[in-house]
Amino acid sequence: MNKMISIIIDGKEINAEEGRALLWVALENDIFIPNLCAIKEKARPSASCRLCFVEIEGHPRPVTSCTQTVADGMVVKTRTPEVDRLVTTAFELLLSDHRLGCSKCPKNKACALQRIAKERKLKLKPKRLNKFVKDYPIDDSVDVFVLDRNRCVLCGRCVWADHHIAKVGAIGFSQRGIKRKVSTFGDKLLSDSSCIQCGECVKVCPVGALSFKENHKDKV
Amino acid sequence: MSDKKLQVEKKYLDIKTKAEEIIPLKEDKTVVMVGTATCGKAAGAIDVREAFKEEIKKRELNAEVVEVGCIGHCYAEPLIVISKPGFPSLCYGNVDEGLSKMLVENYLEGDDPCYEFALVALEPNEEFPTFTDFPRGAYEGKIILEQCGLIDPEDINQYISVDGYHALVNALGMEPGEVIETIKESKLRGRGGAGFPTGKKWEFCANAKDPVKYVICNADEGDPGAFMDRSILESNPHQVIEGLIICGYAVGASDGFIYVRSEYPQAVRRINAALEQAREIGLLGENILDTGFNFDIEVFLGSGAFVCGEETALINSMEGKTGMPRHRPPYPAEVGFRGNPTIINNVKTLSYVPHILLKGVDWFKGIGTPDSPGTAVFALVGKVENTGLVEVPMGTTLRSLVYDVGGGIRNEKEFKAVQIGGPSGGCLPESALDLPIDFDSLQEAGAIMGSGGLVVLDENDCMVEIARFFLDFTQKESCGKCTFCRLGTKHMLDILKEITIGQGKRKHLEILGELALDIQNGSLCGLGKTAPNPVLTTLRYFMDEYEEHIQGRRCPALMCPELINFYIVPKKCSKLCSACVGSCPVEAIYTREDGLKAIDLEKCVKCNSCPAACPPEYDAIIKVSPPERVEELEKENA
Ligand SMILES: Cc1cc2nc3c(=O)[nH]c(=O)nc-3n(C[C@H](O)[C@H](O)[C@H](O)COP(=O)(O)O)c2cc1C
Ligand code: SF4
Ligand code: SF4
């Protein structure tokens, strides 16, 4: 174990192990920082959701807390106008291509997007940007769970779970840019892939994109 | 001089003496050099080469035809240089098979250099002007392009004969730390875009604890319209190789890579040939020049996506992973290829290295500006007279680049802007023309040096459309990993599209500006961070054009098809001509009862053919904006 150091987050003094990622230090101390793609066990964070911005004294601009390791004496603010502006825009961008409809979503009330909206007082239906229409067919070809790409935020947690917990390699990302999506090898249905239906990916999905079929019972 | 230094010096002298014996001595043989880099080839250089060979053979002359790279005057390709004993070396442009045959007959066989066809002489002489007698030559100052187009890139001896690999010898005679110190002192900055101090980067890498290190030359060059790295690799590959070996020696690496995009087959071929030759004479491989330094270079073929030029994506791609960026830090100089400390430098950056070690730090710092020493290489394209590859000292003004080097705006049109730095660069207006070209001034003005693309725009270019065009490129090239770039650039592009078709709203300008700043500050890699530049700079300098589009539904440059109409001015139209009728692909032009021509706007697809077809003496077809302006004109002219 590394030596323990002390940092200040939002005025609160916190002891932490030197070199750990700031995001996890904050979360473990009940300081909320929005995040979707963060995986504690992953050596190099993917830093792709762009929600975990914080301000650190001495840094000219907000930085992502998942990529920032803590050092003694560090002074961190999780809320500043600059941070809030970036987080708001990133959140609005993510929602601009997210199929909303919480009441029909199996993840209703357990969804990371809802949590972020609540904590940061953000709207789930922002007005500033147009909505992109995504219309991926829903893959319910396997018995245990459903993959609805229209609700996916591309956090990559399922891919990581598939590769590192289940160690199967049934899913990955395909396509580039705006077309990026989670898919099986050759873009086949899950039932035609090497998926063993262990459900590890479903457990880590922060939103309603991957859900167990049993949670669909009271939905349409 | 230390023993080690003396020893390598001696070894090099042997190599150089041999090289000089092998290459044909200019003094007693006529040599025809044909520029066969990609630009020359595209213009027909291979036919020219064959025409010379054939004609020389037919006339049984003692002359040699060799292939060289590009000398940068792309507007005049195919280009050739003839060196004949007793005459200055002369360069001829726009050469075709006919001219080739004529030159063989009149000049090679006879003694008439056909000055009327010559562009320029390469050495000072009594008969014909040299580059420095032309404005462009006077403003240019070539370092890394100096030998391009003048030496045979496939013959290492030619490079050696102009002091090639001497800098490597100097470096090997020094301690690696001294080499780094020299590069640091020279204040050389990376030419891959960001201008990071090269010596500092090398020092980080050299100081990293891991014993295994790598050095990589970034020759991905994904910017559309950029071709300087290709040109350097095709015209003088040894210069880059020498720079990379020196870099390897300085940081303590024994493996080097050149990451070239696979769309550059000619460059790849010439690099591979050059590597082979360097190995043969002991400049590459085990125990280089008996100094105990081992270093070899491998070529890696890139897959072509623009973002693969970003250093962390490039490393991922070399490791067999998807070519997507990762978060920095750690920087590659600490954790790079295969997790080891890795230097990644651009082709141009490495090309300066031999020159600095050979001619000294003071010489290098004497060129350019204090904070950006050396030269800047640009692919000058767009609405200027002389397009091509140019190399000017840093600190040259944009005005000088456009008017003196580029020869001014084509067709006497009015200058509007320069788009500088590639798709992620910015558009700078007339008022910025006196800005000195250097990393910091450009950045301040909202543009970037980037990889050195420079597009000159005139009054007929719509700045909203230009912003849309470049953003369209970056949006398509976004890897899609991070939120801001994947979704943000798409929203911006959609808004720009709406504005160019006359559906823009006031609030759009605000949203564009906000998104642009957030994408700049929030994206993961340089692609996203710089993608908004064309929009930010056009909003900053050409806001009036945006407003015209939105409020007046008008495109002031008459470029956005949805916002213009074509109109045939009755007073100007000659009843006797019907050139326009035939030029229209959709038969929208008809003859009125009175014999004048008119356009059926329902059918017109706004292809721009008819104004070009109307003979200049009539010049009767105009574009108008907003489109409804046609109705007013019809009434006025009824
Ligand atoms: C989207 C993107 C594309 C890039 N493409 C290139 C390229 O084609 N060639 C290049 O040398 N650098 C490119 N770079 C810059 C590299 O990441 C890196 O900074 C550079 O190779 C370092 O070399 P230098 O220090 O010699 O400038 C690119 C950067 C980004 C963000
Ligand atoms: S399916 Fe869920 S876990 Fe997988 S990338 Fe999408 S949102 Fe993330
Ligand atoms: S900024 Fe764009 S290109 Fe770079 S990581 Fe993000 S999505 Fe990919």
Side-chain angles (χ1 to χ4, degrees):
Chain A
M1 190 156 149
N2 283 334
K3 88 168 191 248
M4 293 301 283
I5 48 129
S6 149
I7 65 169
I8 293 174
I9 307 182
D10 295 340
K12 191 169 141 193
E13 191 172 328
I14 285 167
N15 293 319
E17 193 188 329
E18 186 172 38
R20 289 201 58 211
L22 175 58
L23 173 67
W24 296 108
V25 172
L27 292 175
E28 284 160 15
N29 284 280
D30 292 325
I31 296 168
F32 180 72
I33 295 176
N35 71 88
L36 289 170
C37 68
I39 298 163
K40 207 186 271 188
E41 296 76 19
K42 196 170 170 195
R44 275 190 90 155
S46 68
S48 61
C49 73
R50 318 305 290 169
L51 286 167
C52 67
F53 283 104
V54 296
E55 214 162 279
I56 299 177
E57 242 177 59
H59 289 248
R61 264 185 220 100
V63 296
T64 42
S65 57
C66 65
T67 53
Q68 189 65 46
T69 49
V70 293
D72 198 30
M74 191 179 246
V75 180
V76 183
K77 289 192 186 122
T78 64
R79 302 292 299 272
T80 69
E82 285 75 31
V83 167
D84 285 357
R85 176 174 168 162
L86 283 178
V87 174
T88 305
T89 302
F91 190 71
E92 286 184 12
L93 286 170
L94 285 167
L95 279 164
S96 73
D97 84 334
H98 182 79
R99 180 178 286 174
L100 220 53
C102 298
S103 60
K104 287 181 188 159
C105 177
K107 242 343 189 308
N108 195 8
K109 302 208 169 77
C111 162
L113 292 171
Q114 286 178 333
R115 164 109 203 260
I116 296 167
K118 188 164 160 251
E119 296 271 356
R120 290 287 160 108
K121 302 202 168 40
L122 296 169
K123 292 202 173 65
L124 283 168
K125 276 192 192 168
K127 297 245 161 50
R128 185 165 58 143
L129 304 174
N130 285 340
K131 195 100 187 172
F132 294 141
V133 225
K134 266 201 302 199
D135 204 7
Y136 291 115
I138 292 170
D139 187 345
D140 57 0
S141 62
V142 288
D143 299 332
V144 181
F145 65 92
V146 176
L147 169 59
D148 179 359
R149 294 184 178 87
N150 304 303
R151 292 202 160 103
C152 170
V153 292
L154 299 175
C155 69
R157 292 165 64 99
C158 57
V159 176
W160 192 84
D162 168 53
H163 292 209
H164 294 93
I165 301 177
K167 299 199 167 69
V168 174
I171 51 174
F173 282 116
S174 70
Q175 310 267 49
R176 304 164 40 80
I178 197 82
K179 295 193 181 132
R180 182 166 161 91
K181 64 174 184 182
V182 171
S183 67
T184 61
F185 187 71
D187 211 4
K188 294 198 189 83
L189 284 175
L190 281 162
S191 56
D192 298 333
S193 76
S194 55
C195 171
I196 54 164
Q197 302 199 41
C198 65
E200 291 298 341
C201 61
V202 185
K203 288 185 214 156
V204 295
C205 180
V207 294
L210 281 166
S211 53
F212 289 110
K213 281 194 173 166
E214 59 184 39
N215 293 343
H216 280 252
K217 283 183 194 127
D218 50 339
K219 318 282 171 199
V220 182
Chain B
M1 220 185 258
S2 71
D3 278 359
K4 186 176 168 198
K5 206 161 177 173
L6 277 174
Q7 232 174 16
V8 268
E9 257 317 316
K10 200 179 151 289
K11 193 95 195 172
Y12 176 73
L13 271 181
D14 288 349
I15 291 177
K16 185 159 179 179
T17 316
K18 259 191 220 134
E20 277 164 352
E21 279 165 12
I22 296 169
I23 58 166
L25 292 174
K26 269 194 188 161
E27 284 82 55
D28 50 45
K29 188 161 186 188
T30 301
V31 183
V32 180
M33 294 179 257
V34 185
T36 56
T38 303
C39 48
K41 270 191 177 162
I46 297 300
D47 293 339
V48 169
R49 180 193 69 194
E50 289 311 305
F52 267 104
K53 279 193 175 158
E54 210 172 283
E55 200 63 22
I56 288 169
K57 197 167 161 207
K58 204 165 94 193
R59 295 177 187 272
E60 294 174 354
L61 301 175
N62 178 25
E64 194 181 358
V65 180
V66 300
E67 287 182 41
V68 294
C70 162
I71 68 168
H73 289 247
C74 304
Y75 59 92
E77 291 284 359
L79 279 158
I80 63 147
V81 173
I82 300 181
S83 290
K84 181 168 172 165
F87 293 88
S89 298
L90 288 167
C91 172
Y92 300 82
N94 298 312
V95 182
D96 55 17
E97 288 162 72
L99 183 56
S100 311
K101 289 199 173 123
M102 198 186 89
L103 283 169
V104 176
E105 183 182 341
N106 294 344
Y107 185 19
L108 299 197
E109 194 166 42
D111 270 334
D112 171 12
C114 305
Y115 284 126
E116 64 275 27
F117 291 103
L119 272 184
V120 68
L122 301 184
E123 311 92 43
N125 64 91
E126 313 265 276
E127 309 283 329
F128 205 75
T130 60
F131 276 123
T132 46
D133 295 320
F134 292 99
R136 172 168 170 175
Y139 288 95
E140 276 197 285
K142 292 190 175 186
I143 301 175
I144 58 176
L145 296 183
E146 193 184 358
Q147 298 301 337
C148 292
L150 303 180
I151 59 172
D152 181 352
E154 300 194 12
D155 182 359
I156 192 171
N157 294 316
Q158 294 216 358
Y159 182 67
I160 293 172
S161 74
V162 293
D163 248 0
Y165 288 106
H166 199 171
L168 172 64
V169 171
N170 286 0
L172 292 176
M174 294 155 83
E175 290 302 317
E178 289 176 71
V179 178
I180 293 179
E181 209 42 53
T182 308
I183 297 301
K184 261 175 81 179
E185 265 176 46
S186 78
K187 289 185 148 184
L188 172 65
R189 295 173 70 172
R191 299 306 202 255
F196 191 83
T198 305
K200 228 169 153 182
K201 193 191 271 193
W202 290 14
E203 191 173 45
F204 280 138
C205 184
N207 289 344
K209 288 197 191 69
D210 209 305
V212 178
K213 291 170 183 155
Y214 298 104
V215 293
I216 300 172
C217 169
N218 187 346
D220 191 50
E221 198 169 50
D223 285 27
F227 51 88
M228 31 279 172
D229 293 356
R230 181 192 71 202
S231 195
I232 291 172
L233 291 170
E234 287 179 350
S235 309
N236 195 359
H238 285 290
Q239 183 178 252
V240 182
I241 293 169
E242 186 178 4
L244 192 59
I245 306 175
I246 295 172
C247 173
Y249 175 73
V251 304
S254 42
D255 291 296
F257 297 88
I258 303 181
Y259 185 101
V260 201
R261 53 195 294 113
S262 47
E263 288 88 341
Y264 285 178
Q266 163 109 327
V268 172
R269 208 172 46 73
R270 286 191 173 162
I271 299 167
N272 276 324
L275 290 175
E276 198 42 54
Q277 292 176 356
R279 268 181 217 117
E280 255 166 45
I281 57 174
L283 291 167
L284 200 59
E286 300 274 303
N287 195 14
I288 292 175
L289 295 175
D290 289 335
T291 56
F293 171 53
N294 305 326
F295 185 79
D296 212 333
I297 298 176
E298 222 176 284
V299 172
F300 189 96
L301 289 188
S303 57
F306 175 58
V307 77
C308 288
E310 196 280 335
E311 51 191 26
T312 59
L314 183 146
I315 289 173
N316 275 341
S317 148
M318 281 182 62
E319 289 173 349
K321 303 185 187 129
T322 324
M324 276 193 188
R326 325 172 178 161
H327 180 86
R328 300 179 312 171
Y331 291 93
E334 299 156 85
V335 184
F337 182 49
R338 297 179 182 147
N340 299 74
T342 302
I343 287 295
I344 299 180
N345 271 140
N346 173 261
V347 171
K348 292 177 285 294
T349 316
L350 292 170
S351 297
Y352 287 105
V353 168
H355 295 277
I356 294 171
L357 283 169
L358 205 55
K359 297 172 211 160
V361 167
D362 292 332
W363 162 82
F364 187 69
K365 281 163 79 175
I367 303 164
T369 65
D371 291 324
S372 300
T375 52
V377 178
F378 287 105
L380 189 59
V381 297
K383 308 282 178 64
V384 275
E385 286 288 346
N386 306 328
T387 56
L389 261 196
V390 302
E391 183 173 7
V392 293
M394 290 272 187
T396 304
T397 61
L398 283 168
R399 187 183 301 283
S400 177
L401 193 62
V402 173
Y403 289 94
D404 300 322
V405 181
I409 309 300
R410 233 187 282 150
N411 302 328
E412 288 161 27
K413 298 269 182 188
E414 205 173 307
F415 170 89
K416 187 183 271 182
V418 288
Q419 204 284 342
I420 185 164
S424 25
C427 297
L428 304 180
E430 166 86 37
S431 64
L433 274 181
D434 292 309
L435 214 65
I437 297 169
D438 64 66
F439 289 104
D440 311 308
S441 307
L442 289 179
Q443 185 122 32
E444 236 164 78
I448 52 168
M449 187 74 86
S451 56
L454 199 146
V455 191
V456 179
L457 305 169
D458 72 9
E459 53 187 293
N460 296 129
D461 293 304
C462 166
M463 300 314 290
V464 184
E465 167 57 20
I466 295 291
R468 189 207 61 79
F469 175 84
F470 284 107
L471 192 69
D472 185 62
F473 175 83
T474 29
Q475 188 270 330
K476 290 206 175 89
E477 290 296 330
S478 163
C479 77
K481 180 171 173 178
C482 77
T483 305
F484 283 102
C485 175
R486 179 182 72 245
L487 293 160
T489 56
K490 180 77 170 80
H491 280 288
M492 283 179 71
L493 185 65
D494 284 357
I495 292 176
L496 287 173
K497 276 187 193 151
E498 288 192 13
I499 298 177
T500 56
I501 62 170
Q503 292 178 2
K505 306 198 178 62
R506 271 233 68 96
K507 65 163 190 190
H508 277 158
L509 293 179
E510 212 174 297
I511 301 177
L512 260 187
E514 291 165 359
L515 279 179
L517 282 180
D518 291 348
I519 295 169
Q520 192 173 52
N521 291 327
S523 292
L524 173 63
C525 88
L527 190 150
K529 283 179 197 294
T530 55
N533 283 342
V535 179
L536 282 167
T537 46
T538 46
L539 283 173
R540 177 162 157 192
Y541 298 115
F542 299 95
M543 185 50 119
D544 52 325
E545 290 199 29
Y546 280 90
E547 281 174 347
E548 287 259 23
H549 280 74
I550 293 174
Q551 276 155 359
R553 280 186 30 87
R554 221 184 133 251
C555 174
L558 303 173
M559 192 183 190
C560 296
E562 305 281 340
L563 298 183
I564 59 165
N565 260 327
F566 290 78
Y567 179 65
I568 303 182
V569 183
K571 278 198 216 89
K572 288 187 170 180
C573 172
S574 151
K575 290 182 189 176
L576 305 173
C577 145
S578 54
C580 55
V581 178
S583 76
C584 178
V586 293
E587 296 178 15
I589 303 182
Y590 61 96
T591 308
R592 307 196 319 195
E593 276 172 22
D594 54 10
L596 295 169
K597 305 288 176 287
I599 301 174
D600 181 347
L601 295 177
E602 300 276 297
K603 284 191 189 164
C604 171
V605 291
K606 302 181 186 172
C607 70
N608 249 328
S609 310
C610 56
C614 183
E617 59 267 37
Y618 307 130
D619 196 18
I621 307 184
I622 58 167
K623 292 195 247 182
V624 296
S625 182
E628 301 78 41
R629 176 87 185 103
V630 166
E631 285 146 41
E632 290 167 34
L633 285 171
E634 271 169 359
K635 270 188 212 137
E636 283 166 27
N637 288 313

